[in-house]
């Protein structure tokens, strides 16, 4: 089964129904709630890749991610304003993004230390 990223909920529902598994049973298998499964299937909640993989693995499936090239050249206006920046401005912007990444990594590590449910591993 192939699906677009915007069809994750439909892909989950289709895989679940093909297996003849209820939302409640899937939630029990995957260690989440039936309500969470329902929200993802309805598109009311955007699933993380990790959660989607956890749910699909509970159905005996492994999601595969692929990339497709954009047809033709990417328009300059889609590349953002980086082309108009001086080398110094680009360096400052990159440094800022590195700071954001470090803060996110620190927050993730703190969440893991505190045992936040979103940081649970899908592996046994």
């Amino acid at each position: 089964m192939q699906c677009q990223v915007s069809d994750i909920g439909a892909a989950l529902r289709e895989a679940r129904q093909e297996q003849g598994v209820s939302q409640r049973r899937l939630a029990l298998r995957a260690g989440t709630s039936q309500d969470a499964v329902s929200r993802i299937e309805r598109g009311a909640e955007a699933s993380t890749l990790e959660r989607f993989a956890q749910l699909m693995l509970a159905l005996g499936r492994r999601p595969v991610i692929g990339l497709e090239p954009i047809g033709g050249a990417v328009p300059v206006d889609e590349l953002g304003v980086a082309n108009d920046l001086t080398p110094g401005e680009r360096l400052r912007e990159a440094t800022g993004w590195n700071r954001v990444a470090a803060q996110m990594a620190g927050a993730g590590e703190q969440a893991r230390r505190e045992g936040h449910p979103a940081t649970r591993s899908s592996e046994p």
Side-chain angles (χ1 to χ4, degrees):
M1 166 178 48
Q2 288 187 337
C3 67
Q4 299 296 319
V5 172
S6 60
D7 297 333
I8 282 179
L12 177 60
R13 181 176 35 257
E14 184 179 323
R16 180 181 59 75
Q17 289 174 342
E18 283 178 6
Q19 296 291 319
V21 175
S22 69
Q23 287 180 346
R24 183 176 182 275
R25 176 64 56 190
L26 174 58
L28 287 171
R29 287 182 184 178
T32 190
S33 69
Q34 180 273 325
D35 189 49
V37 173
S38 174
R39 286 191 311 266
I40 292 167
E41 286 187 0
R42 289 182 288 122
E45 176 180 310
S47 176
T48 64
L49 178 58
E50 291 80 10
R51 179 179 260 184
F52 179 68
Q54 179 182 13
L55 290 164
M56 293 305 274
L57 287 172
L59 293 169
R61 299 191 180 225
R62 178 173 312 148
V64 178
I65 298 174
L67 303 173
E68 293 181 354
I70 297 173
V74 178
V76 174
D77 61 333
E78 289 185 22
L79 295 176
V81 297
N83 290 331
D84 297 332
L85 299 178
T86 67
E89 290 169 330
R90 289 181 189 183
L91 182 59
R92 280 190 295 282
E93 185 173 312
T95 302
W97 281 113
N98 284 341
R99 253 188 253 115
V100 168
Q103 289 170 346
M104 290 177 68
E109 183 56 38
Q110 180 179 354
R112 281 187 287 283
R113 280 194 310 271
E114 294 173 0
H116 190 281
T119 63
R120 285 188 298 193
S121 173
S122 60
E123 297 178 15

